[in-house]
Amino acid sequence: MGWGRMDEHEELNELSGRVLHVIYANEENGYAVLRLDTLDGGVTTVVGTLPAVCPGEELHAFGEWMTHPNHGRQFKAEYAERSLPRTSEAIYSYLAGRAVKGIGPATATLIVDRFGEKTLDVLENHPEQLAEIRGITREKALRMSAEFRRQAGMRRLMEFLCGHGLRPLLAVRLYKFYGEDAMDVIGGDPYIISAPHIGGSFAEADHLAFDLGCESDDPNRVRAAVVFELRHNAGNGHCFIPREQLAAATAKLIGVEPEDVDENIETLISGGQIRYEFIAGRNACYLPELYEAETNAAEILARMCRRSFGDKADINKIIAKLEKSQHISYAPLQKQVLELALKNQVVVLTGGPGTGKTTSIRAVLAMFDELGMKTLLTAPTGRAAKRMTELTGQDASTIHRLLEAKFDDTGDSVVFTKCESDRLDCDAVILDECSMVDIILMNALLSALPPDARLILVGDADQLPSVGPGNVFSAIIRSGVVPTVRLTEIFRQNGGSRIVRNAHMINRGEHPDFAENAGDFFRLRRLQAASSVETITELCTTRLPNKMHIPPEDIQVLSPTRKGELGTVNLNRHLQAALNPPAKDKPEKAFGDVIFRKGDRVMQIKNNYDIMWRTEDNRSAGTGIFNGDIGVITSVDLENEGIVVNFDGRIAGYGFDSLLELEHAWAMTVHKAQGSEYRAVILALGQASQMLMTRDVFYTAVTRARELLILVGDDQTAHQMIDNYRQSKRYTALRVRLRKLCGVE
């Protein structure tokens, strides 16, 4: 049997031998590094996707020779055929290498001495004979046999899937859920691999299904495509899809008639794989988890809206005391925030930059402290939580940390320890940057609140919506049922800031005078992308550090897009070369077409709830590095194949196989920067998709700058973004549900 997929073996070099030692193996993706005893008597390093390989196995590989800069000459296997060991010597090596759980060198010696070349047949088919060996009980023999059969089944499954060009990880998950029945399950429905608990894509499942002779209108295919469309659109921010639209999109995707799709939608609804409801004037089709999140969040919020605490304290006396202690005089709207927070269980506070949201948060926090209430502060991202801590003087955490998020047993889905059965220990929660929170996370937070706890939702309703499904903050405000204060006044200390003034102009659709280079807002006009890249690099390396005393670590380059000359990928490549060039004392690791080097600024691009970290002083430790966390690579260990990253004092280690979770962060997209604030921001303005070149993207970028904003590019591009007012229209019924539950309509 073989793994990998190669139709023209003759174009590749061949290498045969026996596996001596497995240096490295990643069970998740099947990548391995091993030493091979070749037929000509030599020993060669082989690398490639070699799932579940063990010492003693015989290998016939097809690939090419390559020279690694650190490890020398290697054979990179593109395709390989394998067989279990056949000689007694090879079988001993296989078992002694702990290929089978419960068998080590000593036990391997006893078994192979007794059964020789028949050892593996005995293990698989006649385990009772193992009990004839002194020291091996019948129970132990059966356990060893079961483990060997499991390994054999896993190996055959991997070989089958890899022979069809699929990832070895899918075999691991399939076998975990279905055991020895996995092959039969796939044969009955290849699209099972696209189920969430397996984690394959619809394209992978479709490829396998057609290889196995599946017809284009097979019901399993149609239903899998329907679910794929729902999940795909959830990734685009939609909580549901109208049934008619869902049928049409699915039909177009797989080349069948919409009527055939609709029949299968009905079957999915009947079976509970899709939730259906006529709401907001739509025949709404939901994924079950999104339906539960939206309906539950609406019910909790509506219940909180109906709760009033009455006049338990004299608000005027409290305000006067706070003003005196904080040496401040609150504006009328800020006093209104305090009054509403005192009397209501849930309150929304929104406003643009410089309107006093932070002052209001401090005031509410001080009022709750005065009343003896325990208040928790939280935000969607690590950087937003850190900023909240700096501005309030009280510890803030991410929502994921607050709720003690972790992976479930599958390793793919997130569960929250803090939930309805184990609620947070608090009297109030203040959530900042609420516009970034999707419906799943909002429901998780609401479910974990104690029944009497107050909730203050803070954010800028005009910023970009959440990456995940829903438009929660906007829907809550537009419902009209949650007490809301919209701060509009720009305070004196911010009135001189052109960043603040221009941000508000942009938000209103007005064009600032970009030629007025003064104060904290500058425009450097560049008509060519190459010239813009050169200018941005110069600003980061010399002009801002030397002339304005802003070090590179306080500068953040933003772009609306990843692609193109002014996209983050290309900008990071140039900025790495300028800010952290190669050096003898800076080891580096090439990963695809990206080089990770000691001293690089990097960002975590997916939530990892299991990765361990420690503080710099080793006094505390924890788990979890989250999407958007930014750090610096402090070491690259080529021998042990790992890197270490310092995330603002949290030290985390990554294996080379986990580098897909990181990308360079001298430049990042505006979406990734949401919820963060930087001393100096350079915004690259170039050509990109009109979906990205919008007013809210521009507004969000400008409001990321605290002391200095520099636009680099063409005025025309800036004007086009301001004029491109595309509000994010998402299919969600949260607003409608809130109004119905509160008796408004």
Side-chain angles (χ1 to χ4, degrees):
M1 294 291 292
W3 61 79
R5 198 166 188 180
M6 196 65 220
D7 297 326
E8 299 180 1
H9 299 172
E10 66 274 6
E11 296 183 2
L12 299 175
N13 295 305
E14 297 183 35
L15 187 68
S16 297
R18 180 165 64 91
V19 179
L20 286 178
H21 177 57
V22 179
I23 300 171
Y24 171 81
N26 186 321
E27 292 184 1
E28 290 289 300
N29 59 23
Y31 182 82
V33 181
L34 57 87
R35 298 284 283 170
L36 192 73
D37 184 5
T38 60
L39 295 179
D40 61 5
V43 178
T44 299
T45 299
V46 179
V47 302
T49 303
L50 311 168
V53 67
C54 295
E57 292 189 26
E58 295 178 4
L59 195 71
H60 186 59
F62 301 84
E64 58 184 4
W65 291 97
M66 56 178 289
T67 302
H68 190 277
N70 299 104
H71 304 296
R73 186 170 168 80
Q74 300 178 340
F75 190 84
K76 184 179 181 180
E78 299 291 340
Y79 175 89
E81 297 173 347
R82 69 192 280 183
S83 60
L84 287 173
R86 288 172 289 193
T87 67
S88 296
E89 179 188 4
I91 291 171
Y92 169 77
S93 179
Y94 175 77
L95 295 178
R98 302 189 184 277
V100 178
K101 186 178 180 180
I103 302 179
T107 306
T109 299
L110 294 172
I111 296 174
V112 175
D113 283 350
R114 178 68 175 267
F115 299 108
E117 295 179 0
K118 297 181 180 179
T119 294
L120 299 184
D121 178 62
V122 171
L123 262 174
E124 184 171 11
N125 301 311
H126 309 287
E128 68 280 356
Q129 295 183 22
L130 296 172
E132 298 172 3
I133 300 174
R134 188 176 180 181
I136 299 179
T137 64
R138 178 178 175 82
E139 290 74 19
K140 185 177 180 180
L142 292 174
R143 285 198 303 270
M144 291 189 297
S145 179
E147 177 63 19
F148 177 75
R149 289 196 304 272
R150 189 189 73 83
Q151 292 282 6
M154 178 80 76
R155 186 174 63 250
R156 285 192 291 268
L157 189 59
M158 283 185 172
E159 290 170 347
F160 172 76
L161 292 180
C162 291
H164 289 278
L166 301 181
R167 295 172 291 149
L169 174 60
L170 299 177
V172 175
R173 293 175 177 171
L174 281 164
Y175 204 89
K176 178 179 181 178
F177 280 94
Y178 302 110
E180 296 181 4
D181 297 328
M183 288 293 291
D184 292 334
V185 171
I186 294 173
D189 180 13
Y191 292 93
I192 194 68
I193 70 171
S194 64
H197 65 285
I198 304 300
S201 68
F202 177 77
E204 289 175 310
D206 216 31
H207 172 82
L208 176 61
F210 277 107
D211 275 1
L212 299 179
C214 178
E215 299 293 334
S216 62
D217 60 351
D218 186 291
N220 288 328
R221 181 174 189 249
V222 179
R223 293 166 199 167
V226 170
V227 175
F228 165 78
E229 278 292 335
L230 282 174
R231 295 199 178 282
H232 174 75
N233 281 281
N236 291 331
H238 301 290
C239 290
F240 70 83
I241 298 296
R243 182 166 177 167
E244 302 80 3
Q245 189 173 322
L246 178 60
T250 305
K252 184 178 179 180
L253 173 70
I254 61 176
V256 299
E257 295 299 320
E259 294 78 10
D260 295 334
V261 177
D262 195 67
E263 290 178 7
N264 283 281
I265 290 176
E266 187 63 38
T267 302
L268 289 166
I269 294 171
S270 301
Q273 294 102 315
I274 288 178
R275 298 296 297 272
Y276 169 82
E277 183 181 358
F278 181 79
I279 192 166
R282 306 277 187 178
N283 293 303
C285 291
Y286 288 82
L287 291 169
E289 61 269 26
L290 292 181
Y291 181 83
E292 295 297 332
E294 188 177 271
T295 54
N296 192 60
E299 289 172 2
I300 295 173
L301 283 169
R303 187 165 63 246
M304 295 176 77
C305 287
R306 293 190 293 268
R307 179 72 185 275
S308 175
F309 291 98
D311 294 322
K312 293 186 177 181
D314 189 331
I315 186 64
N316 292 323
K317 289 183 179 179
I318 292 176
I319 290 175
K321 187 174 182 178
L322 293 176
E323 288 180 326
K324 183 178 180 180
S325 64
Q326 298 187 11
H327 308 286
I328 195 172
S329 181
Y330 295 127
L333 285 176
Q334 292 175 323
K335 291 180 180 179
Q336 186 183 353
V337 173
L338 290 171
E339 184 175 357
L340 290 175
L342 180 65
K343 296 180 178 180
N344 296 276
Q345 191 173 9
V346 58
V347 174
V348 168
L349 171 62
T350 186
T355 58
K357 292 195 301 295
T358 299
T359 301
S360 299
I361 291 174
R362 291 197 195 105
V364 172
L365 183 58
M367 181 179 72
F368 287 167
D369 286 344
E370 179 70 19
L371 296 172
M373 297 168 59
K374 180 180 179 180
T375 306
L376 300 177
L377 305 182
T378 189
T381 68
R383 294 189 69 86
K386 182 181 179 182
R387 183 162 66 92
M388 200 178 186
T389 298
E390 294 168 350
L391 294 173
T392 64
Q394 181 169 316
D395 286 342
S397 67
T398 65
I399 302 174
H400 288 89
R401 288 200 182 95
L402 185 71
L403 301 181
E404 299 177 17
K406 61 182 182 180
F407 285 122
D408 65 6
D409 293 338
T410 69
D412 290 315
S413 299
V414 178
V415 294
F416 299 98
T417 303
K418 295 297 178 183
C419 57
E420 195 171 8
S421 60
D422 183 14
R423 298 180 188 266
L424 295 167
D425 178 20
C426 66
D427 301 302
V429 171
I430 301 177
L431 167 62
D432 199 10
E433 297 291 348
C434 190
S435 63
M436 299 180 66
V437 181
D438 64 28
I439 191 63
I440 295 290
L441 198 54
M442 178 59 75
N443 179 56
L445 177 62
L446 291 169
S447 299
L449 288 177
D452 294 332
R454 289 173 170 87
L455 177 64
I456 311 298
L457 303 174
V458 185
D460 186 344
D462 296 313
Q463 287 189 24
L464 295 167
S466 61
V467 175
N471 199 348
V472 176
F473 194 49
S474 176
I476 290 173
I477 294 172
R478 289 185 296 108
S479 73
V481 300
V482 179
T484 299
V485 178
R486 185 182 289 271
L487 301 176
T488 55
E489 181 182 354
I490 300 176
F491 289 92
R492 188 180 299 109
Q493 63 267 33
N494 297 304
S497 168
R498 291 188 68 233
I499 292 175
V500 172
R501 286 193 286 118
N502 286 347
H504 284 273
M505 289 183 68
I506 291 166
N507 194 36
R508 294 192 298 266
E510 301 170 9
H511 292 195
D513 182 3
F514 294 121
E516 185 190 346
N517 283 337
D520 55 8
F521 195 107
F522 293 83
R523 185 270 285 142
L524 301 180
R525 189 165 181 254
R526 300 291 186 271
L527 301 180
Q528 302 296 324
S531 178
S532 292
V533 173
E534 183 179 343
T535 297
I536 290 168
T537 305
E538 185 183 351
L539 286 167
C540 292
T541 54
T542 57
R543 291 173 66 174
L544 292 186
N546 296 340
K547 295 183 178 181
M548 303 190 72
H549 308 292
I550 301 177
E553 56 266 28
D554 288 344
I555 304 168
Q556 184 60 60
V557 178
L558 300 181
S559 174
T561 181
R562 290 178 52 84
K563 302 177 181 179
E565 286 191 77
L566 288 175
T568 58
V569 174
N570 187 55
L571 287 170
N572 272 316
R573 191 177 295 116
H574 282 83
L575 291 169
Q576 181 191 39
L579 294 168
N580 192 35
K584 290 183 178 180
D585 62 341
K586 291 190 281 189
E588 60 185 45
K589 165 63 180 177
F591 189 77
D593 58 354
V594 178
I595 293 175
F596 291 99
R597 183 177 298 134
K598 182 181 178 181
D600 282 349
R601 185 196 296 182
V602 294
M603 175 172 55
Q604 179 80 12
I605 59 173
K606 62 176 290 189
N607 290 330
N608 187 327
Y609 305 92
D610 293 335
I611 190 169
M612 298 187 66
W613 55 264
R614 58 173 176 80
T615 56
E616 291 179 280
D617 58 9
N618 286 317
R619 291 184 177 180
S620 62
T623 59
I625 300 292
F626 302 107
N627 187 4
D629 286 352
I630 293 177
V632 175
I633 297 177
T634 58
S635 71
V636 178
D637 189 338
L638 296 171
E639 183 176 350
N640 294 307
E641 300 191 328
I643 70 170
V644 176
V645 183
N646 186 335
F647 293 97
D648 289 327
R650 291 175 296 134
I651 313 299
Y654 292 76
F656 285 171
D657 57 298
S658 299
L659 294 180
L660 279 171
E661 296 185 9
L662 297 173
E663 64 180 32
H664 289 119
W666 288 285
M668 69 175 70
T669 63
V670 178
H671 283 81
K672 285 291 187 184
Q674 194 172 356
S676 300
E677 191 177 75
Y678 310 95
R679 184 180 175 186
V681 168
I682 301 170
L683 177 58
L685 294 175
Q687 295 303 311
S689 166
Q690 288 301 298
M691 297 293 292
L692 298 171
M693 306 300 284
T694 62
R695 185 187 302 175
D696 55 355
V697 170
F698 198 5
Y699 174 75
T700 301
V702 170
T703 55
R704 299 308 91 203
R706 185 171 66 250
E707 296 180 16
L708 178 66
L709 178 79
I710 302 176
L711 306 180
V712 180
D714 188 1
D715 287 1
Q716 185 178 357
T717 303
H719 294 316
Q720 288 173 347
M721 291 184 73
I722 295 171
D723 294 338
N724 186 14
Y725 184 50
R726 293 189 178 188
Q727 286 188 306
S728 180
K729 295 183 179 181
R730 299 181 169 187
Y731 289 118
T732 170
L734 180 61
R735 182 188 70 86
V736 173
R737 295 185 190 280
L738 279 171
R739 292 179 64 83
K740 283 185 175 181
L741 289 166
C742 291
V744 178
E745 60 181 41

PDB file of all heavy atoms in Angstrom, residues 305 474-484 735 738-739 742 744:
ATOM      1  N   CYS A 305     -33.524  43.252  29.946  1.00  0.00           N
ATOM      2  CA  CYS A 305     -34.169  44.537  29.651  1.00  0.00           C
ATOM      3  C   CYS A 305     -35.388  44.785  30.542  1.00  0.00           C
ATOM      4  O   CYS A 305     -35.719  45.933  30.850  1.00  0.00           O
ATOM      5  CB  CYS A 305     -34.591  44.597  28.185  1.00  0.00           C
ATOM      6  SG  CYS A 305     -33.230  44.802  27.027  1.00  0.00           S
ATOM      7  N   SER A 474     -24.647  46.145  16.718  1.00  0.00           N
ATOM      8  CA  SER A 474     -25.550  46.956  15.914  1.00  0.00           C
ATOM      9  C   SER A 474     -27.000  46.515  16.103  1.00  0.00           C
ATOM     10  O   SER A 474     -27.905  47.350  16.241  1.00  0.00           O
ATOM     11  CB  SER A 474     -25.163  46.878  14.441  1.00  0.00           C
ATOM     12  OG  SER A 474     -26.084  47.576  13.624  1.00  0.00           O
ATOM     13  N   ALA A 475     -27.245  45.202  16.120  1.00  0.00           N
ATOM     14  CA  ALA A 475     -28.612  44.687  16.284  1.00  0.00           C
ATOM     15  C   ALA A 475     -29.196  45.077  17.634  1.00  0.00           C
ATOM     16  O   ALA A 475     -30.381  45.425  17.734  1.00  0.00           O
ATOM     17  CB  ALA A 475     -28.617  43.171  16.126  1.00  0.00           C
ATOM     18  N   ILE A 476     -28.382  45.028  18.685  1.00  0.00           N
ATOM     19  CA  ILE A 476     -28.846  45.398  20.017  1.00  0.00           C
ATOM     20  C   ILE A 476     -29.250  46.874  20.043  1.00  0.00           C
ATOM     21  O   ILE A 476     -30.298  47.241  20.572  1.00  0.00           O
ATOM     22  CB  ILE A 476     -27.768  45.102  21.067  1.00  0.00           C
ATOM     23  CG1 ILE A 476     -27.599  43.584  21.236  1.00  0.00           C
ATOM     24  CG2 ILE A 476     -28.110  45.748  22.405  1.00  0.00           C
ATOM     25  CD1 ILE A 476     -26.442  43.191  22.131  1.00  0.00           C
ATOM     26  N   ILE A 477     -28.410  47.717  19.449  1.00  0.00           N
ATOM     27  CA  ILE A 477     -28.711  49.148  19.426  1.00  0.00           C
ATOM     28  C   ILE A 477     -29.951  49.420  18.585  1.00  0.00           C
ATOM     29  O   ILE A 477     -30.853  50.157  18.999  1.00  0.00           O
ATOM     30  CB  ILE A 477     -27.497  49.934  18.884  1.00  0.00           C
ATOM     31  CG1 ILE A 477     -26.314  49.829  19.860  1.00  0.00           C
ATOM     32  CG2 ILE A 477     -27.866  51.399  18.652  1.00  0.00           C
ATOM     33  CD1 ILE A 477     -25.024  50.418  19.329  1.00  0.00           C
ATOM     34  N   ARG A 478     -30.025  48.817  17.396  1.00  0.00           N
ATOM     35  CA  ARG A 478     -31.139  49.075  16.487  1.00  0.00           C
ATOM     36  C   ARG A 478     -32.464  48.492  16.986  1.00  0.00           C
ATOM     37  O   ARG A 478     -33.537  48.900  16.538  1.00  0.00           O
ATOM     38  CB  ARG A 478     -30.815  48.523  15.095  1.00  0.00           C
ATOM     39  CG  ARG A 478     -29.751  49.307  14.352  1.00  0.00           C
ATOM     40  CD  ARG A 478     -29.531  48.813  12.921  1.00  0.00           C
ATOM     41  NE  ARG A 478     -29.017  47.463  12.868  1.00  0.00           N
ATOM     42  CZ  ARG A 478     -29.699  46.407  12.482  1.00  0.00           C
ATOM     43  NH1 ARG A 478     -30.965  46.537  12.101  1.00  0.00           N
ATOM     44  NH2 ARG A 478     -29.153  45.201  12.466  1.00  0.00           N
ATOM     45  N   SER A 479     -32.394  47.548  17.909  1.00  0.00           N
ATOM     46  CA  SER A 479     -33.632  46.988  18.459  1.00  0.00           C
ATOM     47  C   SER A 479     -34.447  48.041  19.197  1.00  0.00           C
ATOM     48  O   SER A 479     -35.679  47.965  19.255  1.00  0.00           O
ATOM     49  CB  SER A 479     -33.322  45.823  19.395  1.00  0.00           C
ATOM     50  OG  SER A 479     -32.767  46.286  20.625  1.00  0.00           O
ATOM     51  N   GLY A 480     -33.758  49.014  19.780  1.00  0.00           N
ATOM     52  CA  GLY A 480     -34.436  50.070  20.507  1.00  0.00           C
ATOM     53  C   GLY A 480     -34.975  49.673  21.864  1.00  0.00           C
ATOM     54  O   GLY A 480     -35.662  50.466  22.519  1.00  0.00           O
ATOM     55  N   VAL A 481     -34.663  48.454  22.311  1.00  0.00           N
ATOM     56  CA  VAL A 481     -35.222  47.991  23.580  1.00  0.00           C
ATOM     57  C   VAL A 481     -34.188  47.985  24.703  1.00  0.00           C
ATOM     58  O   VAL A 481     -34.558  47.887  25.879  1.00  0.00           O
ATOM     59  CB  VAL A 481     -35.830  46.580  23.436  1.00  0.00           C
ATOM     60  CG1 VAL A 481     -36.943  46.594  22.402  1.00  0.00           C
ATOM     61  CG2 VAL A 481     -34.767  45.542  23.066  1.00  0.00           C
ATOM     62  N   VAL A 482     -32.904  48.089  24.375  1.00  0.00           N
ATOM     63  CA  VAL A 482     -31.844  48.106  25.373  1.00  0.00           C
ATOM     64  C   VAL A 482     -31.475  49.562  25.657  1.00  0.00           C
ATOM     65  O   VAL A 482     -31.196  50.314  24.722  1.00  0.00           O
ATOM     66  CB  VAL A 482     -30.605  47.331  24.900  1.00  0.00           C
ATOM     67  CG1 VAL A 482     -29.510  47.380  25.962  1.00  0.00           C
ATOM     68  CG2 VAL A 482     -30.960  45.887  24.577  1.00  0.00           C
ATOM     69  N   PRO A 483     -31.519  50.002  26.919  1.00  0.00           N
ATOM     70  CA  PRO A 483     -31.138  51.383  27.237  1.00  0.00           C
ATOM     71  C   PRO A 483     -29.773  51.726  26.646  1.00  0.00           C
ATOM     72  O   PRO A 483     -28.783  51.039  26.921  1.00  0.00           O
ATOM     73  CB  PRO A 483     -31.108  51.388  28.769  1.00  0.00           C
ATOM     74  CG  PRO A 483     -32.025  50.274  29.170  1.00  0.00           C
ATOM     75  CD  PRO A 483     -31.879  49.219  28.120  1.00  0.00           C
ATOM     76  N   THR A 484     -29.733  52.792  25.856  1.00  0.00           N
ATOM     77  CA  THR A 484     -28.542  53.117  25.081  1.00  0.00           C
ATOM     78  C   THR A 484     -28.197  54.597  25.228  1.00  0.00           C
ATOM     79  O   THR A 484     -29.083  55.457  25.162  1.00  0.00           O
ATOM     80  CB  THR A 484     -28.745  52.791  23.593  1.00  0.00           C
ATOM     81  OG1 THR A 484     -28.988  51.384  23.447  1.00  0.00           O
ATOM     82  CG2 THR A 484     -27.527  53.168  22.767  1.00  0.00           C
ATOM     83  N   ARG A 735     -32.217  41.442  16.180  1.00  0.00           N
ATOM     84  CA  ARG A 735     -32.988  42.661  16.413  1.00  0.00           C
ATOM     85  C   ARG A 735     -34.480  42.353  16.480  1.00  0.00           C
ATOM     86  O   ARG A 735     -35.176  42.806  17.400  1.00  0.00           O
ATOM     87  CB  ARG A 735     -32.718  43.680  15.308  1.00  0.00           C
ATOM     88  CG  ARG A 735     -33.459  45.008  15.491  1.00  0.00           C
ATOM     89  CD  ARG A 735     -33.295  45.906  14.265  1.00  0.00           C
ATOM     90  NE  ARG A 735     -34.024  45.379  13.128  1.00  0.00           N
ATOM     91  CZ  ARG A 735     -35.315  45.632  12.894  1.00  0.00           C
ATOM     92  NH1 ARG A 735     -36.016  46.401  13.701  1.00  0.00           N
ATOM     93  NH2 ARG A 735     -35.888  45.113  11.821  1.00  0.00           N
ATOM     94  N   LEU A 738     -35.413  40.401  19.683  1.00  0.00           N
ATOM     95  CA  LEU A 738     -35.422  41.256  20.863  1.00  0.00           C
ATOM     96  C   LEU A 738     -36.700  42.084  20.938  1.00  0.00           C
ATOM     97  O   LEU A 738     -37.318  42.210  22.004  1.00  0.00           O
ATOM     98  CB  LEU A 738     -34.192  42.170  20.856  1.00  0.00           C
ATOM     99  CG  LEU A 738     -32.872  41.552  21.343  1.00  0.00           C
ATOM    100  CD1 LEU A 738     -31.707  42.499  21.072  1.00  0.00           C
ATOM    101  CD2 LEU A 738     -32.961  41.226  22.822  1.00  0.00           C
ATOM    102  N   ARG A 739     -37.107  42.642  19.829  1.00  0.00           N
ATOM    103  CA  ARG A 739     -38.304  43.480  19.815  1.00  0.00           C
ATOM    104  C   ARG A 739     -39.564  42.657  20.111  1.00  0.00           C
ATOM    105  O   ARG A 739     -40.447  43.088  20.858  1.00  0.00           O
ATOM    106  CB  ARG A 739     -38.428  44.200  18.472  1.00  0.00           C
ATOM    107  CG  ARG A 739     -37.346  45.262  18.252  1.00  0.00           C
ATOM    108  CD  ARG A 739     -37.470  45.956  16.911  1.00  0.00           C
ATOM    109  NE  ARG A 739     -38.688  46.729  16.771  1.00  0.00           N
ATOM    110  CZ  ARG A 739     -38.863  47.954  17.208  1.00  0.00           C
ATOM    111  NH1 ARG A 739     -37.889  48.568  17.850  1.00  0.00           N
ATOM    112  NH2 ARG A 739     -40.005  48.591  17.030  1.00  0.00           N
ATOM    113  N   CYS A 742     -39.675  41.690  23.770  1.00  0.00           N
ATOM    114  CA  CYS A 742     -39.940  42.847  24.637  1.00  0.00           C
ATOM    115  C   CYS A 742     -41.291  43.486  24.343  1.00  0.00           C
ATOM    116  O   CYS A 742     -41.612  44.562  24.882  1.00  0.00           O
ATOM    117  CB  CYS A 742     -38.816  43.870  24.502  1.00  0.00           C
ATOM    118  SG  CYS A 742     -37.238  43.317  25.194  1.00  0.00           S
ATOM    119  N   VAL A 744     -42.426  44.868  21.598  1.00  0.00           N
ATOM    120  CA  VAL A 744     -42.450  46.061  20.754  1.00  0.00           C
ATOM    121  C   VAL A 744     -43.168  45.785  19.443  1.00  0.00           C
ATOM    122  O   VAL A 744     -43.856  46.635  18.895  1.00  0.00           O
ATOM    123  CB  VAL A 744     -41.025  46.571  20.489  1.00  0.00           C
ATOM    124  CG1 VAL A 744     -41.045  47.787  19.561  1.00  0.00           C
ATOM    125  CG2 VAL A 744     -40.356  46.927  21.808  1.00  0.00           C
TER     126      VAL A 744
END
